[in-house]
Amino acid sequence: MNPGARLVVLGKQGAGKGTQAVRLSRHYVVPHVATGDTFRAAVRSGSEFGQKARKFLDAGELVPDEIVIGMVQERLTRSDTTHRGFILDGFPRTVHQADALIDFLSPVTLDLAINLEVDTEHVLSRLAGRRVCADCGANYSVVDNPPRVPGICDVCGGDVVQRDDDTEAAIHRRLELYERETSPLIMWFDERDLLTSVDGMGTPDEVTERLVQAVDGRKRRPPALA
Ligand code: ADP
Ligand code: ZN
């Protein structure tokens, strides 16, 4: 049995983080922990928490650190993730979140943070084609990965729609926040010898192959001397 993995996937909006994180979670047989999916599910449920989160999501703003950190910490202390690991998608997104992550995982550490690299020109066209199931949250792309029947989810038969935060204004704001709040994490993980960068261009299969090679190469490396 494959030994699991503890990974963070970093990348701009539209870099393919979500798609690749789902594939990595199947490959390593570990839960996919996607904060954006959790927030969108809360919004769909109409709960009070969801109504609060919706204001941030629709505007492309970050949900406050205290809320996100508490949510992820709770998820990463359940037995499935403590035993086999996890693929974190969309967290951490600020240095404060990264500090909190390392703290609450301790004494266990991450295997790796992967920076999935795609230039801004490409992410903009990918975001324009991105679609999501309004019922179950499955991701699609009108270009690369359309549902079998246009507008209908392959998984649950729900309506496949554009995300409420894939408007021009919210996309602009999210990319701005990515540069300001999240891109410093690339250095942050690199300084801790936890970073690898992977080219996110090419077919989804090509990118998955590169990611698996990067992760397996890393796991074979002998532990660093203290
Ligand atoms: P994208 O990468 O396209 O922005 P996500 O699904 O990862 O999409 O996130 C959607 C939204 O959920 C974000 O714009 C933000 O409002 C909220 N969110 C997700 N993860 C975090 C986080 N770690 N910290 C703060 N807000 C978050
Ligand atoms: Zn669906």
Side-chain angles (χ1 to χ4, degrees):
M1 172 82 158
N2 156 333
R6 296 167 201 282
L7 305 174
V8 164
V9 185
L10 294 170
K12 284 188 197 103
Q13 286 66 27
K17 250 183 313 143
T19 306
Q20 295 300 331
V22 168
R23 288 159 165 249
L24 289 173
S25 91
R26 291 195 187 123
H27 184 90
Y28 292 105
V29 202
V30 291
H32 172 214
V33 178
T35 45
D37 288 354
T38 309
F39 288 130
R40 279 187 290 280
V43 170
R44 285 198 297 275
S45 80
S47 67
E48 200 180 318
F49 177 68
Q51 289 170 26
K52 232 186 264 171
R54 176 170 203 153
K55 288 193 304 225
F56 295 103
L57 264 70
D58 286 359
E61 297 298 329
L62 293 178
V63 175
D65 279 345
E66 313 79 72
I67 298 178
V68 190
I69 291 169
M71 189 175 90
V72 176
Q73 179 166 12
E74 192 273 327
R75 182 67 190 86
L76 296 192
T77 46
R78 280 192 238 154
S79 61
D80 55 345
T81 52
T82 56
H83 281 115
R84 295 198 44 82
F86 46 79
I87 312 291
L88 272 177
D89 164 8
F91 183 94
R93 242 176 166 96
T94 64
V95 168
H96 183 201
Q97 292 177 14
D99 277 324
L101 172 68
I102 299 297
D103 269 4
F104 67 63
L105 285 181
S106 170
V108 172
T109 183
L110 288 176
D111 292 326
L112 201 56
I114 304 166
N115 176 28
L116 195 56
E117 291 182 304
V118 175
D119 25 302
T120 302
E121 191 189 315
H122 282 98
V123 303
L124 290 174
S125 64
R126 285 189 184 178
L127 289 168
R130 178 154 87 174
R131 298 292 183 274
V132 65
C133 172
D135 292 337
C136 76
N139 281 302
Y140 296 96
S141 153
V142 290
V143 195
D144 302 333
N145 174 31
R148 282 193 292 271
V149 180
I152 308 289
C153 179
D154 295 350
V155 181
C156 78
D159 284 340
V160 173
V161 298
Q162 195 149 25
R163 265 167 55 171
D164 289 336
D165 63 347
D166 278 347
T167 60
E168 220 179 291
I171 287 173
H172 180 82
R173 180 63 181 151
R174 271 146 62 223
L175 287 168
E176 192 174 88
L177 285 171
Y178 174 83
E179 286 308 325
R180 198 180 79 199
E181 303 289 341
T182 310
S183 70
L185 290 176
I186 295 168
M187 275 292 277
W188 194 94
F189 281 114
D190 196 31
E191 283 163 9
R192 287 157 183 79
D193 196 23
L194 286 172
L195 188 84
T196 190
S197 288
V198 169
D199 180 4
M201 294 299 296
T203 66
D205 286 348
E206 284 163 359
V207 178
T208 306
E209 166 103 32
R210 280 179 216 139
L211 288 165
V212 168
Q213 270 181 15
V215 175
D216 291 350
R218 173 73 180 208
K219 291 169 133 211
R220 277 194 298 273
R221 204 179 69 160
L225 294 174

Tab-separated table of all heavy atoms in Angstrom, residues 19-55:
chain	number	residue	atom	x	y	z
A	19	THR	N	-7.807	20.768	-10.127
A	19	THR	CA	-7.794	19.563	-10.960
A	19	THR	C	-6.656	18.641	-10.533
A	19	THR	O	-6.835	17.437	-10.354
A	19	THR	CB	-7.572	19.956	-12.435
A	19	THR	OG1	-8.556	20.931	-12.781
A	19	THR	CG2	-7.639	18.771	-13.360
A	20	GLN	N	-5.474	19.214	-10.364
A	20	GLN	CA	-4.311	18.388	-10.027
A	20	GLN	C	-4.389	17.875	-8.595
A	20	GLN	O	-3.953	16.755	-8.320
A	20	GLN	CB	-3.011	19.173	-10.255
A	20	GLN	CG	-2.767	19.531	-11.723
A	20	GLN	CD	-2.657	18.295	-12.623
A	20	GLN	OE1	-2.232	17.221	-12.190
A	20	GLN	NE2	-3.053	18.436	-13.877
A	21	ALA	N	-4.953	18.670	-7.702
A	21	ALA	CA	-5.060	18.228	-6.305
A	21	ALA	C	-5.973	17.003	-6.207
A	21	ALA	O	-5.690	16.063	-5.466
A	21	ALA	CB	-5.551	19.362	-5.414
A	22	VAL	N	-7.062	16.988	-6.986
A	22	VAL	CA	-7.960	15.824	-6.995
A	22	VAL	C	-7.190	14.597	-7.479
A	22	VAL	O	-7.267	13.502	-6.894
A	22	VAL	CB	-9.186	16.079	-7.906
A	22	VAL	CG1	-9.965	14.795	-8.156
A	22	VAL	CG2	-10.091	17.146	-7.306
A	23	ARG	N	-6.396	14.754	-8.538
A	23	ARG	CA	-5.634	13.624	-9.077
A	23	ARG	C	-4.580	13.141	-8.084
A	23	ARG	O	-4.378	11.927	-7.920
A	23	ARG	CB	-4.960	14.043	-10.381
A	23	ARG	CG	-5.968	14.195	-11.507
A	23	ARG	CD	-5.385	15.069	-12.596
A	23	ARG	NE	-6.169	14.952	-13.810
A	23	ARG	CZ	-5.742	14.365	-14.932
A	23	ARG	NH1	-4.507	13.863	-14.987
A	23	ARG	NH2	-6.510	14.308	-15.974
A	24	LEU	N	-3.902	14.077	-7.417
A	24	LEU	CA	-2.888	13.670	-6.430
A	24	LEU	C	-3.546	12.950	-5.258
A	24	LEU	O	-2.986	11.997	-4.707
A	24	LEU	CB	-2.122	14.891	-5.918
A	24	LEU	CG	-1.156	15.530	-6.919
A	24	LEU	CD1	-0.584	16.835	-6.346
A	24	LEU	CD2	-0.017	14.573	-7.280
A	25	SER	N	-4.746	13.394	-4.890
A	25	SER	CA	-5.390	12.750	-3.744
A	25	SER	C	-5.765	11.320	-4.103
A	25	SER	O	-5.698	10.426	-3.258
A	25	SER	CB	-6.576	13.565	-3.240
A	25	SER	OG	-7.765	13.183	-3.865
A	26	ARG	N	-6.117	11.044	-5.371
A	26	ARG	CA	-6.392	9.658	-5.782
A	26	ARG	C	-5.098	8.864	-5.835
A	26	ARG	O	-5.039	7.714	-5.398
A	26	ARG	CB	-7.049	9.627	-7.163
A	26	ARG	CG	-8.439	10.193	-7.107
A	26	ARG	CD	-9.230	9.837	-8.368
A	26	ARG	NE	-10.487	10.548	-8.310
A	26	ARG	CZ	-10.915	11.400	-9.246
A	26	ARG	NH1	-10.216	11.623	-10.350
A	26	ARG	NH2	-12.057	12.022	-9.086
A	27	HIS	N	-4.052	9.477	-6.367
A	27	HIS	CA	-2.784	8.757	-6.515
A	27	HIS	C	-2.219	8.338	-5.155
A	27	HIS	O	-1.785	7.204	-4.980
A	27	HIS	CB	-1.779	9.634	-7.268
A	27	HIS	CG	-0.479	8.944	-7.541
A	27	HIS	ND1	-0.253	8.209	-8.682
A	27	HIS	CD2	0.659	8.831	-6.805
A	27	HIS	CE1	0.968	7.693	-8.644
A	27	HIS	NE2	1.538	8.060	-7.518
A	28	TYR	N	-2.198	9.256	-4.216
A	28	TYR	CA	-1.595	8.952	-2.909
A	28	TYR	C	-2.615	8.437	-1.889
A	28	TYR	O	-2.245	8.152	-0.746
A	28	TYR	CB	-0.848	10.187	-2.374
A	28	TYR	CG	0.373	10.494	-3.231
A	28	TYR	CD1	0.378	11.547	-4.124
A	28	TYR	CD2	1.495	9.666	-3.170
A	28	TYR	CE1	1.470	11.799	-4.945
A	28	TYR	CE2	2.596	9.895	-3.987
A	28	TYR	CZ	2.582	10.960	-4.867
A	28	TYR	OH	3.657	11.183	-5.667
A	29	VAL	N	-3.879	8.346	-2.331
A	29	VAL	CA	-4.954	7.862	-1.462
A	29	VAL	C	-5.006	8.639	-0.145
A	29	VAL	O	-4.911	8.074	0.952
A	29	VAL	CB	-4.858	6.326	-1.213
A	29	VAL	CG1	-6.220	5.776	-0.791
A	29	VAL	CG2	-4.374	5.581	-2.449
A	30	VAL	N	-5.129	9.935	-0.277
A	30	VAL	CA	-5.255	10.819	0.894
A	30	VAL	C	-6.372	11.826	0.601
A	30	VAL	O	-6.654	12.113	-0.565
A	30	VAL	CB	-3.939	11.588	1.192
A	30	VAL	CG1	-2.856	10.647	1.681
A	30	VAL	CG2	-3.458	12.400	-0.011
A	31	PRO	N	-7.001	12.381	1.633
A	31	PRO	CA	-8.075	13.351	1.398
A	31	PRO	C	-7.580	14.628	0.707
A	31	PRO	O	-6.464	15.087	0.951
A	31	PRO	CB	-8.578	13.677	2.810
A	31	PRO	CG	-8.155	12.530	3.659
A	31	PRO	CD	-6.857	12.037	3.057
A	32	HIS	N	-8.446	15.154	-0.153
A	32	HIS	CA	-8.232	16.444	-0.814
A	32	HIS	C	-8.907	17.492	0.059
A	32	HIS	O	-10.121	17.450	0.223
A	32	HIS	CB	-8.886	16.370	-2.203
A	32	HIS	CG	-8.927	17.655	-2.948
A	32	HIS	ND1	-9.957	17.989	-3.796
A	32	HIS	CD2	-8.051	18.693	-2.994
A	32	HIS	CE1	-9.726	19.176	-4.331
A	32	HIS	NE2	-8.584	19.619	-3.868
A	33	VAL	N	-8.126	18.365	0.647
A	33	VAL	CA	-8.694	19.383	1.532
A	33	VAL	C	-8.629	20.724	0.809
A	33	VAL	O	-7.564	21.325	0.683
A	33	VAL	CB	-7.920	19.424	2.873
A	33	VAL	CG1	-8.470	20.516	3.777
A	33	VAL	CG2	-7.990	18.060	3.565
A	34	ALA	N	-9.779	21.155	0.277
A	34	ALA	CA	-9.831	22.369	-0.554
A	34	ALA	C	-10.707	23.395	0.147
A	34	ALA	O	-11.924	23.234	0.228
A	34	ALA	CB	-10.394	22.028	-1.929
A	35	THR	N	-10.065	24.429	0.676
A	35	THR	CA	-10.817	25.419	1.463
A	35	THR	C	-11.891	26.112	0.621
A	35	THR	O	-12.992	26.345	1.102
A	35	THR	CB	-9.852	26.457	2.073
A	35	THR	OG1	-8.921	26.856	1.061
A	35	THR	CG2	-9.099	25.875	3.244
A	36	GLY	N	-11.572	26.411	-0.651
A	36	GLY	CA	-12.564	27.074	-1.514
A	36	GLY	C	-13.800	26.188	-1.676
A	36	GLY	O	-14.939	26.671	-1.611
A	37	ASP	N	-13.593	24.863	-1.859
A	37	ASP	CA	-14.733	23.938	-1.995
A	37	ASP	C	-15.565	23.922	-0.709
A	37	ASP	O	-16.795	23.876	-0.757
A	37	ASP	CB	-14.249	22.502	-2.269
A	37	ASP	CG	-13.682	22.332	-3.688
A	37	ASP	OD1	-13.772	23.278	-4.494
A	37	ASP	OD2	-13.146	21.242	-3.966
A	38	THR	N	-14.879	23.923	0.427
A	38	THR	CA	-15.606	23.913	1.704
A	38	THR	C	-16.466	25.172	1.843
A	38	THR	O	-17.627	25.103	2.238
A	38	THR	CB	-14.612	23.831	2.883
A	38	THR	OG1	-13.723	22.747	2.645
A	38	THR	CG2	-15.318	23.621	4.207
A	39	PHE	N	-15.871	26.315	1.480
A	39	PHE	CA	-16.653	27.565	1.567
A	39	PHE	C	-17.817	27.561	0.580
A	39	PHE	O	-18.924	27.971	0.924
A	39	PHE	CB	-15.765	28.785	1.321
A	39	PHE	CG	-14.823	29.077	2.457
A	39	PHE	CD1	-13.465	29.273	2.217
A	39	PHE	CD2	-15.292	29.159	3.764
A	39	PHE	CE1	-12.591	29.532	3.266
A	39	PHE	CE2	-14.420	29.422	4.811
A	39	PHE	CZ	-13.066	29.611	4.562
A	40	ARG	N	-17.579	27.077	-0.640
A	40	ARG	CA	-18.683	27.056	-1.621
A	40	ARG	C	-19.795	26.106	-1.171
A	40	ARG	O	-20.981	26.412	-1.348
A	40	ARG	CB	-18.176	26.678	-3.014
A	40	ARG	CG	-17.558	27.882	-3.751
A	40	ARG	CD	-17.207	27.540	-5.190
A	40	ARG	NE	-16.094	26.618	-5.255
A	40	ARG	CZ	-14.814	26.963	-5.125
A	40	ARG	NH1	-14.483	28.233	-4.964
A	40	ARG	NH2	-13.869	26.065	-5.179
A	41	ALA	N	-19.422	24.976	-0.548
A	41	ALA	CA	-20.451	24.054	-0.035
A	41	ALA	C	-21.251	24.741	1.075
A	41	ALA	O	-22.474	24.599	1.148
A	41	ALA	CB	-19.805	22.765	0.472
A	42	ALA	N	-20.561	25.514	1.916
A	42	ALA	CA	-21.259	26.230	2.995
A	42	ALA	C	-22.218	27.269	2.407
A	42	ALA	O	-23.345	27.426	2.880
A	42	ALA	CB	-20.243	26.893	3.928
A	43	VAL	N	-21.778	27.953	1.350
A	43	VAL	CA	-22.645	28.946	0.689
A	43	VAL	C	-23.888	28.234	0.133
A	43	VAL	O	-25.014	28.676	0.351
A	43	VAL	CB	-21.890	29.692	-0.440
A	43	VAL	CG1	-22.849	30.534	-1.277
A	43	VAL	CG2	-20.768	30.561	0.132
A	44	ARG	N	-23.686	27.089	-0.546
A	44	ARG	CA	-24.824	26.353	-1.126
A	44	ARG	C	-25.800	25.878	-0.052
A	44	ARG	O	-27.002	25.844	-0.267
A	44	ARG	CB	-24.330	25.114	-1.894
A	44	ARG	CG	-23.697	25.410	-3.224
A	44	ARG	CD	-23.635	24.148	-4.100
A	44	ARG	NE	-22.800	23.099	-3.541
A	44	ARG	CZ	-21.481	23.004	-3.701
A	44	ARG	NH1	-20.824	23.926	-4.405
A	44	ARG	NH2	-20.796	22.011	-3.181
A	45	SER	N	-25.264	25.523	1.123
A	45	SER	CA	-26.124	25.009	2.191
A	45	SER	C	-27.001	26.116	2.776
A	45	SER	O	-27.984	25.836	3.444
A	45	SER	CB	-25.277	24.403	3.306
A	45	SER	OG	-24.767	25.451	4.136
A	46	GLY	N	-26.617	27.381	2.546
A	46	GLY	CA	-27.420	28.498	3.052
A	46	GLY	C	-27.276	28.721	4.550
A	46	GLY	O	-28.007	29.514	5.125
A	47	SER	N	-26.329	28.017	5.207
A	47	SER	CA	-26.143	28.202	6.657
A	47	SER	C	-25.687	29.627	6.964
A	47	SER	O	-25.277	30.365	6.069
A	47	SER	CB	-25.091	27.220	7.173
A	47	SER	OG	-23.820	27.565	6.625
A	48	GLU	N	-25.720	29.951	8.232
A	48	GLU	CA	-25.300	31.292	8.652
A	48	GLU	C	-23.820	31.504	8.303
A	48	GLU	O	-23.428	32.559	7.803
A	48	GLU	CB	-25.503	31.421	10.154
A	48	GLU	CG	-25.570	32.856	10.637
A	48	GLU	CD	-25.766	32.905	12.146
A	48	GLU	OE1	-26.582	32.090	12.649
A	48	GLU	OE2	-25.087	33.712	12.797
A	49	PHE	N	-23.033	30.450	8.544
A	49	PHE	CA	-21.611	30.485	8.200
A	49	PHE	C	-21.447	30.745	6.689
A	49	PHE	O	-20.636	31.566	6.269
A	49	PHE	CB	-20.978	29.149	8.603
A	49	PHE	CG	-19.519	29.017	8.249
A	49	PHE	CD1	-18.567	29.788	8.888
A	49	PHE	CD2	-19.118	28.110	7.263
A	49	PHE	CE1	-17.212	29.662	8.556
A	49	PHE	CE2	-17.768	27.981	6.936
A	49	PHE	CZ	-16.822	28.753	7.577
A	50	GLY	N	-22.266	30.037	5.891
A	50	GLY	CA	-22.201	30.194	4.441
A	50	GLY	C	-22.566	31.601	3.994
A	50	GLY	O	-21.942	32.161	3.091
A	51	GLN	N	-23.579	32.174	4.642
A	51	GLN	CA	-23.978	33.538	4.271
A	51	GLN	C	-22.863	34.534	4.571
A	51	GLN	O	-22.635	35.479	3.827
A	51	GLN	CB	-25.257	33.944	4.998
A	51	GLN	CG	-26.473	33.193	4.454
A	51	GLN	CD	-27.705	33.392	5.315
A	51	GLN	OE1	-27.832	34.393	6.012
A	51	GLN	NE2	-28.603	32.425	5.272
A	52	LYS	N	-22.162	34.286	5.674
A	52	LYS	CA	-21.041	35.150	6.045
A	52	LYS	C	-19.906	34.991	5.025
A	52	LYS	O	-19.338	35.966	4.548
A	52	LYS	CB	-20.536	34.769	7.441
A	52	LYS	CG	-20.459	35.955	8.379
A	52	LYS	CD	-19.824	35.555	9.700
A	52	LYS	CE	-20.888	35.223	10.749
A	52	LYS	NZ	-20.294	34.628	11.969
A	53	ALA	N	-19.591	33.725	4.697
A	53	ALA	CA	-18.492	33.446	3.770
A	53	ALA	C	-18.788	34.023	2.379
A	53	ALA	O	-17.893	34.511	1.692
A	53	ALA	CB	-18.263	31.938	3.664
A	54	ARG	N	-20.031	33.982	1.970
A	54	ARG	CA	-20.408	34.400	0.627
A	54	ARG	C	-19.949	35.822	0.294
A	54	ARG	O	-19.519	36.098	-0.827
A	54	ARG	CB	-21.928	34.296	0.484
A	54	ARG	CG	-22.357	34.812	-0.832
A	54	ARG	CD	-23.786	34.550	-1.173
A	54	ARG	NE	-23.844	34.615	-2.624
A	54	ARG	CZ	-24.723	33.981	-3.360
A	54	ARG	NH1	-25.625	33.239	-2.805
A	54	ARG	NH2	-24.679	34.103	-4.665
A	55	LYS	N	-20.057	36.708	1.274
A	55	LYS	CA	-19.662	38.106	1.031
A	55	LYS	C	-18.200	38.177	0.602
A	55	LYS	O	-17.849	38.934	-0.291
A	55	LYS	CB	-19.839	38.952	2.296
A	55	LYS	CG	-21.304	39.211	2.636
A	55	LYS	CD	-21.434	40.295	3.694
A	55	LYS	CE	-20.656	39.930	4.926
A	55	LYS	NZ	-21.066	40.038	6.226
